């Protein structure tokens, strides 16, 4: 697949756009320009612009670099941290074992 040709469902695109908007708001709250953040993150200004617009072509490494610049890198650890559905699926597969017979003491 060619670079930049990632095709996502509309719901997924909306999630990426929301992420981009949140990153942009965090940058603006810190009164940093796009050029400042891009330089500190070691990326180009157009790449930062693509991230803030929610482009699916931006790599996770770039997202991490920008979050580091903004002091939000710990937020990345919150992704999939509380996997409620996964735990429910795992619990549904667990078998309850019956207890074995008691051993007689000598």
């Amino acid at each position: 697949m060619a670079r930049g040709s990632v095709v996502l469902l509309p719901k997924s695109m909306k999630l990426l756009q929301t992420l981009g908007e949140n990153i942009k708001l965090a940058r603006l709250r810190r009164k940093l320009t796009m050029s400042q953040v891009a330089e500190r993150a070691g990326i180009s200004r157009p790449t930062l612009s693509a991230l803030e617009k929610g482009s699916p072509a931006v790599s996770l490494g770039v997202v991490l670099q920008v979050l580091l610049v903004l002091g939000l890198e710990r937020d990345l650890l919150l992704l999939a941290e509380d996997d409620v559905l996964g735990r429910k699926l795992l619990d549904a597969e667990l078998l309850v074992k019956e207890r074995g017979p008691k051993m007689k003491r000598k």
Side-chain angles (χ1 to χ4, degrees):
M1 186 173 268
R3 187 177 183 121
S5 64
V6 178
V7 179
L8 296 175
L9 296 173
K11 187 175 182 179
S12 299
M13 282 301 302
K14 182 63 180 159
L15 287 171
L16 286 177
Q17 288 169 351
T18 302
L19 172 66
E21 289 169 8
N22 290 346
I23 289 173
K24 181 177 182 176
L25 287 173
R27 175 179 61 79
L28 293 174
R29 284 186 205 109
R30 287 159 178 74
K31 298 182 178 170
L32 295 170
T33 66
M34 289 185 80
S35 297
Q36 289 172 322
V37 173
E39 183 180 333
R40 293 175 189 178
I43 60 173
S44 67
R45 192 176 175 283
T47 300
L48 179 59
S49 178
L51 170 60
E52 289 184 355
K53 289 177 183 172
S55 170
V58 176
S59 74
L60 187 57
V62 168
V63 174
L64 176 59
Q65 284 301 109
V66 172
L67 291 176
L68 281 165
V69 170
L70 299 175
L72 298 171
E73 66 277 4
R74 305 289 264 155
D75 288 1
L76 198 59
L77 297 176
L78 299 176
L79 295 175
E81 179 183 44
D82 189 26
D83 186 11
V84 176
L85 176 61
R87 276 191 269 113
K88 285 182 180 178
L89 291 171
L90 184 62
D91 291 345
E93 291 180 6
L94 294 178
L95 299 175
V96 178
K97 293 184 180 181
E98 290 186 30
R99 208 171 163 182
K102 287 188 175 182
M103 302 262 310
K104 292 182 182 178
R105 290 190 180 178
K106 290 186 179 181

